[in-house]
Amino acid sequence: MTDRVLAIDGGNSKTAVLLVDADGKVLAQVRGPGAPPQTVGMKRGLDVFEALAREAAAQAGLSPDEPIAAHTSAYLAGADLPREEEDLTRAISERGWSRTTFVGNDTFALLRAGTAAAGGVAVVCGAGINAVGVARDGRTHRFPALGAISGDWGGGGQLGNDALWHAVRAEDGRGRPTLLLPALLEHYGETSILNVVEKIHFEELELDPHALCPLVFEVAAQGDSVALHQVDRLIEEIVLLATVSLRKLNLVDEPVDVVLGGGVLTNTGDVVVGPVSRQIAEAAPLARVRLVDVPPVVGAALLGLDHIGASPSAELRLRSAYSDHLPAATLDVAASG
């Protein structure tokens, strides 16, 4: 069987699947909804992954009765603890997509997507926030990333929820005046934030904190002190995640890549990335801070190619070939319900 790698980047909001051969040639790529097994359930999440994997196999012209790949390289949001990775590895292996399977947290795929070096640190700030580090000798550092109970703060969900919190308190007098209040009223088409809260409470209105997150940056750009404080706190948190990982792995004085990714980081221009880069440089002068320039699923595929012992030319081929114009299918697969 040709050595193929089935790569899965399973995020909270979307799932990307990439099928490549041992030479780094892209055979198929498919996108679908987010289906973290810890959120939607193991069977339902894996059913979504399988539908996408089978679609990728069909795109590549594979027979339905042959294994999709030699190795499955799955990097998933919510695989935050070794026990979760082990459970997911076992469950995916039982699906029979490939001879071998490896499951890791999706931040490791971001790191591999952002660097060809043997180690580095990655910080992702999208729906949530997380960081991982890998030293050249294979040592790793990671955070539990379980939310407030594991000390986390940040991500689009956090900023969106906090925006509503500040708007409510600005209207009822418990908090400082902030332009977040009129921004959220306009967003919801309401005249009182209390009406918004009541409708959310009675499930007449959906609270989508990720949709509110961009408002924080828009209001901060107008000089609003409350929104600026939220942005400054996010910058501080990203820098903390990166520098703690560098210190734990004794990489502070090493020339090492610090890879930044996730929608909040990549969609805010230099507002966050600029200060983050400068503050990391103060703590680790030799660090190279960079935004990831290919999707994390490419990192998952590269880790899979590493696993099967592909040549360095495979990485070069995959990186050079991967671009937005590659044919891609979006499969409509229900992740819930």
Side-chain angles (χ1 to χ4, degrees), residues 81-165:
L81 300 172
R83 185 191 304 180
E84 292 169 326
E85 292 173 338
E86 292 166 6
D87 290 344
L88 285 161
T89 297
R90 184 166 49 252
I92 290 177
S93 296
E94 291 172 353
R95 294 285 176 134
W97 304 336
S98 57
R99 290 196 300 260
T100 58
T101 299
F102 185 88
V103 176
N105 182 267
D106 58 343
T107 315
F108 285 103
L110 173 69
L111 174 59
R112 188 65 178 87
T115 178
V121 168
V123 182
V124 60
C125 185
I129 193 166
N130 196 8
V132 299
V134 179
R136 291 181 180 85
D137 60 8
R139 290 175 297 121
T140 63
H141 176 262
R142 60 195 297 182
F143 297 91
L146 301 175
I149 63 170
S150 61
D152 304 335
W153 188 93
Q158 179 88 55
L159 265 66
N161 280 321
D162 284 0
L164 178 60
W165 187 87

Coordinates of all heavy atoms in Angstrom, one line a residue, residues 81-165:
L81 N -5.5 16.6 27.6 CA -4.8 15.8 28.6 C -4.4 14.4 28.0 O -5.0 13.9 27.1 CB -5.7 15.5 29.8 CG -6.1 16.8 30.6 CD1 -7.2 16.4 31.6 CD2 -5.0 17.5 31.2
P82 N -3.3 13.9 28.5 CA -2.8 12.6 27.9 C -3.9 11.5 27.9 O -4.0 10.7 27.0 CB -1.6 12.2 28.9 CG -1.1 13.5 29.3 CD -2.3 14.4 29.5
R83 N -4.7 11.5 29.0 CA -5.8 10.5 29.0 C -6.8 10.7 27.9 O -7.2 9.7 27.3 CB -6.6 10.6 30.4 CG -7.6 9.5 30.5 CD -8.5 9.8 31.7 NE -7.8 10.0 33.0 CZ -8.4 10.2 34.1 NH1 -9.7 10.3 34.2 NH2 -7.6 10.4 35.2
E84 N -7.1 11.9 27.5 CA -8.0 12.2 26.4 C -7.3 11.8 25.1 O -8.0 11.2 24.2 CB -8.4 13.7 26.4 CG -9.2 14.1 27.6 CD -9.4 15.6 27.7 OE1 -8.4 16.3 27.4 OE2 -10.4 16.0 28.1
E85 N -6.1 12.0 24.9 CA -5.4 11.6 23.7 C -5.4 10.1 23.6 O -5.5 9.6 22.5 CB -3.9 12.2 23.7 CG -3.9 13.7 23.6 CD -2.5 14.2 23.8 OE1 -1.6 13.6 24.4 OE2 -2.2 15.4 23.3
E86 N -5.1 9.4 24.7 CA -5.1 8.0 24.6 C -6.5 7.4 24.3 O -6.6 6.5 23.4 CB -4.7 7.4 26.0 CG -3.2 7.7 26.3 CD -2.9 7.4 27.8 OE1 -3.8 6.9 28.5 OE2 -1.8 7.7 28.2
D87 N -7.6 8.0 24.9 CA -8.9 7.5 24.5 C -9.3 7.8 23.1 O -9.9 6.9 22.4 CB -10.0 8.2 25.4 CG -9.9 7.8 26.9 OD1 -9.3 6.8 27.2 OD2 -10.4 8.5 27.7
L88 N -8.9 8.9 22.6 CA -9.2 9.3 21.2 C -8.3 8.4 20.2 O -8.8 8.0 19.2 CB -8.9 10.7 20.9 CG -9.9 11.7 21.5 CD1 -9.4 13.1 21.6 CD2 -11.2 11.7 20.6
T89 N -7.1 8.1 20.6 CA -6.2 7.3 19.7 C -6.9 5.9 19.6 O -6.9 5.3 18.5 CB -4.8 7.2 20.3 OG1 -4.2 8.5 20.3 CG2 -4.0 6.2 19.5
R90 N -7.3 5.4 20.7 CA -8.0 4.0 20.7 C -9.2 4.0 19.9 O -9.5 3.2 19.0 CB -8.3 3.6 22.1 CG -8.8 2.2 22.3 CD -8.8 1.7 23.7 NE -9.3 2.7 24.6 CZ -8.6 3.4 25.5 NH1 -7.3 3.3 25.5 NH2 -9.1 4.3 26.3
A91 N -10.1 5.1 20.1 CA -11.3 5.1 19.3 C -11.1 5.3 17.8 O -11.8 4.7 17.0 CB -12.2 6.3 19.9
I92 N -10.2 6.2 17.5 CA -9.9 6.4 16.0 C -9.3 5.1 15.4 O -9.6 4.7 14.3 CB -9.1 7.6 15.8 CG1 -9.9 8.9 16.2 CG2 -8.5 7.7 14.4 CD1 -9.1 10.2 16.1
S93 N -8.4 4.5 16.1 CA -7.8 3.3 15.6 C -8.8 2.2 15.3 O -8.7 1.5 14.3 CB -6.8 2.7 16.7 OG -5.7 3.6 16.9
E94 N -9.8 2.1 16.1 CA -10.9 1.1 15.9 C -11.7 1.4 14.6 O -12.3 0.5 14.1 CB -11.8 1.1 17.1 CG -11.2 0.5 18.4 CD -12.0 0.7 19.6 OE1 -13.1 1.3 19.5 OE2 -11.6 0.2 20.7
R95 N -11.6 2.6 14.1 CA -12.3 2.9 12.9 C -11.6 2.3 11.7 O -12.2 2.1 10.6 CB -12.4 4.4 12.7 CG -13.3 5.1 13.7 CD -14.8 4.9 13.5 NE -15.6 5.4 14.5 CZ -16.7 6.1 14.2 NH1 -17.1 6.4 13.0 NH2 -17.5 6.6 15.2
G96 N -10.4 1.9 11.8 CA -9.7 1.2 10.7 C -9.3 2.0 9.5 O -9.2 1.5 8.4
W97 N -9.1 3.3 9.7 CA -8.7 4.2 8.6 C -7.3 3.9 8.1 O -7.0 4.2 7.0 CB -8.9 5.7 9.0 CG -10.2 6.0 9.5 CD1 -11.4 5.4 9.2 CD2 -10.5 7.1 10.3 NE1 -12.4 6.0 9.8 CE2 -12.0 7.1 10.5 CE3 -9.8 8.2 10.9 CZ2 -12.6 8.1 11.3 CZ3 -10.5 9.1 11.7 CH2 -11.8 9.0 11.9
S98 N -6.4 3.5 9.0 CA -5.0 3.3 8.7 C -4.4 2.3 9.6 O -5.0 1.8 10.6 CB -4.3 4.7 8.9 OG -4.5 5.1 10.3
R99 N -3.1 1.9 9.3 CA -2.4 1.0 10.1 C -2.1 1.5 11.5 O -2.1 0.8 12.5 CB -1.1 0.5 9.4 CG -1.4 -0.4 8.2 CD -0.1 -1.1 7.8 NE 1.0 -0.1 7.5 CZ 1.3 0.2 6.3 NH1 0.7 -0.3 5.2 NH2 2.3 1.1 6.1
T100 N -1.6 2.8 11.5 CA -1.2 3.4 12.8 C -2.0 4.7 13.0 O -2.4 5.3 12.0 CB 0.3 3.7 12.8 OG1 0.6 4.5 11.7 CG2 1.0 2.4 12.8
T101 N -2.1 5.2 14.2 CA -2.8 6.4 14.5 C -2.1 7.2 15.6 O -1.6 6.5 16.6 CB -4.2 6.1 15.0 OG1 -5.0 5.4 14.0 CG2 -5.0 7.4 15.4
F102 N -2.1 8.5 15.5 CA -1.6 9.3 16.6 C -2.5 10.5 16.8 O -2.9 11.1 15.8 CB -0.2 9.8 16.3 CG 0.4 10.6 17.5 CD1 1.1 10.0 18.5 CD2 0.2 12.0 17.6 CE1 1.6 10.6 19.6 CE2 0.7 12.7 18.7 CZ 1.4 12.0 19.7
V103 N -2.9 10.7 18.0 CA -3.8 11.9 18.3 C -3.1 12.8 19.3 O -2.5 12.3 20.3 CB -5.1 11.4 19.0 CG1 -6.0 12.6 19.4 CG2 -5.9 10.5 18.0
G104 N -3.1 14.1 19.0 CA -2.5 15.1 19.9 C -3.3 16.3 19.9 O -4.3 16.5 19.2
N105 N -3.0 17.2 20.8 CA -3.7 18.5 20.8 C -3.4 19.3 19.6 O -2.3 19.3 19.0 CB -3.2 19.3 22.1 CG -4.0 20.6 22.2 OD1 -3.5 21.6 21.8 ND2 -5.1 20.6 22.8
D106 N -4.4 20.1 19.1 CA -4.3 20.8 17.8 C -3.2 21.9 17.9 O -2.7 22.3 16.8 CB -5.6 21.3 17.4 CG -6.2 22.3 18.4 OD1 -5.8 22.3 19.5 OD2 -7.2 23.0 18.0
T107 N -2.8 22.3 19.0 CA -1.7 23.4 19.1 C -0.4 22.8 18.6 O 0.4 23.6 18.1 CB -1.6 23.9 20.5 OG1 -2.9 24.2 21.0 CG2 -0.8 25.2 20.5
F108 N -0.2 21.5 18.8 CA 1.1 20.9 18.2 C 1.1 21.0 16.7 O 2.1 21.2 16.1 CB 1.2 19.5 18.7 CG 1.6 19.3 20.1 CD1 0.7 19.0 21.1 CD2 2.9 19.5 20.5 CE1 1.1 18.9 22.4 CE2 3.3 19.4 21.9 CZ 2.4 19.1 22.8
A109 N -0.1 20.8 16.1 CA -0.1 21.0 14.6 C 0.1 22.4 14.2 O 0.8 22.6 13.2 CB -1.5 20.5 14.1
L110 N -0.3 23.4 15.0 CA 0.0 24.8 14.7 C 1.5 25.0 14.7 O 2.0 25.6 13.9 CB -0.7 25.7 15.7 CG -0.4 27.2 15.6 CD1 -0.9 27.8 14.3 CD2 -0.9 27.9 16.8
L111 N 2.1 24.4 15.8 CA 3.6 24.6 15.9 C 4.3 24.0 14.7 O 5.2 24.7 14.1 CB 4.1 23.9 17.2 CG 5.6 23.9 17.4 CD1 6.2 25.3 17.4 CD2 5.9 23.2 18.7
R112 N 3.9 22.8 14.3 CA 4.6 22.2 13.1 C 4.3 22.9 11.8 O 5.2 23.0 10.9 CB 4.2 20.7 13.0 CG 5.0 19.9 12.0 CD 6.4 19.8 12.4 NE 7.2 19.0 11.4 CZ 7.7 19.5 10.3 NH1 7.6 20.8 10.1 NH2 8.4 18.7 9.5
A113 N 3.1 23.5 11.7 CA 2.8 24.3 10.5 C 3.6 25.5 10.4 O 3.9 26.0 9.3 CB 1.3 24.6 10.5
G114 N 4.0 26.0 11.6 CA 4.7 27.3 11.6 C 6.2 27.2 11.5 O 6.9 28.3 11.4
T115 N 6.8 26.1 11.6 CA 8.2 26.0 11.7 C 8.7 24.6 11.1 O 8.0 23.6 11.3 CB 8.8 26.1 13.1 OG1 10.2 26.0 13.1 CG2 8.2 25.1 14.1
A116 N 9.8 24.6 10.4 CA 10.5 23.4 10.0 C 11.5 23.0 10.9 O 12.2 21.9 10.7 CB 11.1 23.6 8.6
A117 N 11.8 23.7 12.0 CA 12.8 23.4 13.0 C 12.3 22.3 13.9 O 11.1 21.9 13.9 CB 13.1 24.6 13.8
A118 N 13.3 21.7 14.7 CA 13.0 20.6 15.5 C 12.1 20.9 16.7 O 11.6 20.0 17.4 CB 14.3 19.9 15.9
G119 N 12.1 22.2 17.1 CA 11.3 22.6 18.3 C 10.8 24.0 18.2 O 10.9 24.6 17.1
G120 N 10.2 24.4 19.2 CA 9.7 25.8 19.3 C 8.5 25.9 20.2 O 8.2 24.9 20.9
V121 N 7.8 27.0 20.2 CA 6.7 27.3 21.0 C 5.6 27.8 20.1 O 5.8 28.6 19.2 CB 7.0 28.3 22.1 CG1 5.7 28.8 22.8 CG2 7.9 27.7 23.2
A122 N 4.3 27.4 20.4 CA 3.2 27.9 19.6 C 2.1 28.3 20.6 O 1.9 27.7 21.6 CB 2.6 26.8 18.7
V123 N 1.5 29.5 20.3 CA 0.4 30.0 21.0 C -0.8 30.2 20.1 O -0.6 30.8 19.0 CB 0.7 31.3 21.7 CG1 -0.5 31.8 22.5 CG2 1.9 31.2 22.6
V124 N -1.9 29.6 20.4 CA -3.1 29.7 19.6 C -4.1 30.5 20.4 O -4.3 30.3 21.6 CB -3.7 28.3 19.2 CG1 -4.1 27.5 20.4 CG2 -4.9 28.5 18.3
C125 N -4.7 31.5 19.7 CA -5.8 32.3 20.3 C -6.9 32.4 19.3 O -6.8 33.2 18.3 CB -5.2 33.7 20.7 SG -6.5 34.7 21.5
G126 N -7.8 31.5 19.4 CA -9.0 31.5 18.5 C -10.2 31.5 19.4 O -10.5 32.5 20.1
A127 N -11.0 30.5 19.3 CA -12.2 30.4 20.2 C -11.7 30.4 21.6 O -12.3 31.0 22.5 CB -13.0 29.1 19.9
G128 N -10.6 29.7 21.9 CA -10.0 29.6 23.2 C -8.5 30.0 23.1 O -8.1 30.6 22.1
I129 N -7.7 29.6 24.1 CA -6.3 30.0 24.1 C -5.5 28.8 24.7 O -6.0 28.1 25.6 CB -6.1 31.3 24.9 CG1 -4.7 31.9 24.7 CG2 -6.4 31.1 26.4 CD1 -4.6 33.3 25.2
N130 N -4.3 28.6 24.1 CA -3.5 27.5 24.6 C -2.1 27.7 24.0 O -1.9 28.6 23.1 CB -4.1 26.2 24.0 CG -3.5 25.0 24.8 OD1 -2.8 25.1 25.8 ND2 -3.8 23.8 24.3
A131 N -1.2 27.0 24.6 CA 0.2 27.1 24.1 C 0.9 25.7 24.4 O 0.5 25.0 25.4 CB 1.0 28.2 24.9
V132 N 1.8 25.4 23.5 CA 2.7 24.2 23.7 C 4.1 24.5 23.3 O 4.3 25.5 22.6 CB 2.2 23.0 22.9 CG1 0.8 22.6 23.2 CG2 2.3 23.3 21.4
G133 N 5.0 23.8 23.9 CA 6.4 24.0 23.5 C 7.1 22.6 23.3 O 6.7 21.6 24.0
V134 N 8.0 22.6 22.4 CA 8.8 21.4 22.1 C 10.3 21.7 22.0 O 10.6 22.6 21.3 CB 8.4 20.7 20.8 CG1 9.2 19.4 20.6 CG2 6.9 20.3 20.9
A135 N 11.1 21.1 22.9 CA 12.5 21.3 22.8 C 13.2 20.4 21.7 O 12.6 19.5 21.3 CB 13.2 21.0 24.2
R136 N 14.4 20.8 21.3 CA 15.0 20.0 20.3 C 15.3 18.6 20.7 O 15.4 17.7 19.8 CB 16.3 20.7 19.9 CG 16.1 22.0 19.2 CD 17.4 22.7 18.8 NE 17.2 23.9 18.0 CZ 17.0 25.1 18.6 NH1 17.0 25.1 20.0 NH2 16.8 26.2 17.9
D137 N 15.4 18.3 22.0 CA 15.6 16.9 22.5 C 14.3 16.2 22.7 O 14.4 15.0 23.2 CB 16.5 16.9 23.8 CG 15.8 17.7 24.9 OD1 14.6 18.1 24.8 OD2 16.4 17.9 25.9
G138 N 13.2 16.8 22.3 CA 11.9 16.1 22.4 C 11.1 16.4 23.6 O 9.9 16.0 23.7
R139 N 11.7 17.1 24.6 CA 10.9 17.4 25.8 C 9.8 18.4 25.4 O 9.9 19.2 24.5 CB 11.8 18.1 26.8 CG 12.8 17.2 27.5 CD 13.7 18.0 28.4 NE 14.5 19.0 27.7 CZ 14.5 20.3 27.9 NH1 13.7 20.8 28.8 NH2 15.2 21.1 27.2
T140 N 8.6 18.2 26.0 CA 7.5 19.1 25.7 C 7.0 19.8 27.0 O 7.2 19.4 28.1 CB 6.3 18.3 25.1 OG1 5.9 17.3 26.1 CG2 6.7 17.5 23.9
H141 N 6.3 20.9 26.7 CA 5.7 21.6 27.8 C 4.3 22.0 27.3 O 4.1 22.4 26.1 CB 6.4 22.9 28.2 CG 5.7 23.7 29.2 ND1 4.9 24.8 28.9 CD2 5.5 23.5 30.6 CE1 4.3 25.3 30.0 NE2 4.7 24.5 31.0
R142 N 3.3 21.9 28.1 CA 1.9 22.2 27.7 C 1.1 22.6 29.0 O 1.5 22.3 30.1 CB 1.3 21.0 27.0 CG 1.2 19.7 27.9 CD 0.9 18.5 27.0 NE -0.5 18.6 26.4 CZ -1.0 17.7 25.6 NH1 -0.3 16.5 25.4 NH2 -2.2 17.8 25.1
F143 N 0.0 23.2 28.7 CA -0.9 23.6 29.8 C -2.2 22.7 29.7 O -2.5 22.3 28.6 CB -1.3 25.1 29.6 CG -0.1 26.0 29.7 CD1 0.6 26.4 28.6 CD2 0.2 26.5 31.0 CE1 1.6 27.3 28.7 CE2 1.3 27.4 31.1 CZ 2.0 27.8 30.0
P144 N -2.9 22.5 30.8 CA -4.1 21.7 30.7 C -5.2 22.3 29.8 O -5.9 21.6 29.2 CB -4.6 21.7 32.2 CG -3.4 22.0 33.0 CD -2.5 22.9 32.2
A145 N -5.2 23.6 29.8 CA -6.2 24.3 28.8 C -7.6 23.9 29.0 O -8.3 23.6 28.1 CB -5.7 24.1 27.4
L146 N -8.0 23.8 30.3 CA -9.4 23.4 30.6 C -10.3 24.5 31.0 O -11.4 24.3 31.5 CB -9.4 22.4 31.7 CG -8.5 21.1 31.5 CD1 -8.5 20.2 32.7 CD2 -9.1 20.3 30.3
G147 N -9.9 25.8 30.7 CA -10.7 26.9 31.0 C -10.3 27.5 32.4 O -9.2 27.4 32.8
A148 N -11.3 28.2 33.0 CA -11.0 28.9 34.3 C -10.4 27.9 35.3 O -9.6 28.3 36.2 CB -12.2 29.6 34.7
I149 N -10.9 26.7 35.4 CA -10.4 25.8 36.4 C -8.9 25.4 36.3 O -8.3 25.0 37.3 CB -11.2 24.5 36.4 CG1 -11.1 23.7 35.1 CG2 -12.7 24.7 36.7 CD1 -11.7 22.3 35.2
S150 N -8.3 25.7 35.1 CA -6.9 25.4 35.0 C -6.2 26.8 34.8 O -5.0 26.8 34.3 CB -6.6 24.5 33.8 OG -7.1 25.0 32.6
G151 N -6.8 27.9 35.2 CA -6.1 29.1 35.2 C -6.1 29.9 33.9 O -5.3 30.8 33.8
D152 N -6.9 29.5 32.9 CA -6.9 30.1 31.6 C -7.7 31.4 31.6 O -8.7 31.5 32.2 CB -7.4 29.1 30.6 CG -6.7 27.8 30.6 OD1 -5.5 27.8 31.0 OD2 -7.3 26.8 30.2
W153 N -7.2 32.3 30.7 CA -8.0 33.5 30.4 C -7.6 33.9 29.0 O -6.4 33.9 28.6 CB -7.7 34.7 31.3 CG -8.6 35.8 31.1 CD1 -9.8 36.1 31.7 CD2 -8.5 36.9 30.1 NE1 -10.4 37.2 31.2 CE2 -9.6 37.7 30.2 CE3 -7.5 37.1 29.1 CZ2 -9.8 38.8 29.4 CZ3 -7.7 38.2 28.3 CH2 -8.8 39.1 28.4
G154 N -8.6 34.2 28.2 CA -8.4 34.6 26.8 C -9.1 33.8 25.8 O -9.8 32.9 26.0
G155 N -8.9 34.2 24.5 CA -9.6 33.6 23.4 C -10.9 34.4 23.0 O -11.4 35.3 23.8
G156 N -11.4 34.2 21.8 CA -12.5 34.9 21.4 C -13.8 34.8 22.2 O -14.5 35.7 22.4
G157 N -14.0 33.6 22.7 CA -15.1 33.4 23.6 C -15.1 34.2 24.9 O -16.0 34.8 25.3
Q158 N -13.9 34.2 25.5 CA -13.7 35.0 26.7 C -13.9 36.5 26.4 O -14.6 37.2 27.2 CB -12.2 34.8 27.2 CG -11.9 35.6 28.4 CD -12.2 34.9 29.7 OE1 -11.7 33.7 29.9 NE2 -13.0 35.4 30.6
L159 N -13.3 37.0 25.4 CA -13.5 38.5 25.1 C -14.9 38.8 24.8 O -15.4 39.9 25.2 CB -12.6 38.9 23.9 CG -11.2 39.5 24.3 CD1 -10.3 38.4 25.0 CD2 -10.5 40.0 23.1
G160 N -15.6 37.9 24.1 CA -17.0 38.2 23.7 C -17.9 38.2 25.0 O -18.8 39.1 25.2
N161 N -17.7 37.2 25.8 CA -18.5 37.2 27.1 C -18.2 38.4 28.0 O -19.1 38.9 28.6 CB -18.2 35.9 27.8 CG -18.9 34.7 27.3 OD1 -20.1 34.8 26.9 ND2 -18.2 33.5 27.2
D162 N -16.9 38.7 28.0 CA -16.6 39.9 28.9 C -17.1 41.2 28.3 O -17.5 42.1 29.1 CB -15.0 40.0 29.0 CG -14.4 39.0 29.9 OD1 -15.2 38.2 30.5 OD2 -13.2 39.0 30.1
A163 N -17.3 41.3 27.0 CA -17.8 42.5 26.4 C -19.3 42.6 26.8 O -19.7 43.8 27.2 CB -17.8 42.4 24.9
L164 N -20.0 41.5 26.9 CA -21.4 41.6 27.3 C -21.5 42.0 28.8 O -22.3 42.8 29.3 CB -22.1 40.3 27.1 CG -23.6 40.2 27.6 CD1 -24.4 41.2 26.9 CD2 -24.1 38.8 27.3
W165 N -20.6 41.4 29.6 CA -20.5 41.7 31.1 C -20.3 43.2 31.3 O -20.9 43.8 32.1 CB -19.3 40.8 31.6 CG -19.2 40.8 33.1 CD1 -19.8 40.0 34.0 CD2 -18.3 41.7 33.9 NE1 -19.4 40.3 35.3 CE2 -18.5 41.3 35.3 CE3 -17.5 42.7 33.6 CZ2 -17.8 42.0 36.3 CZ3 -16.8 43.3 34.6 CH2 -17.0 43.0 36.0

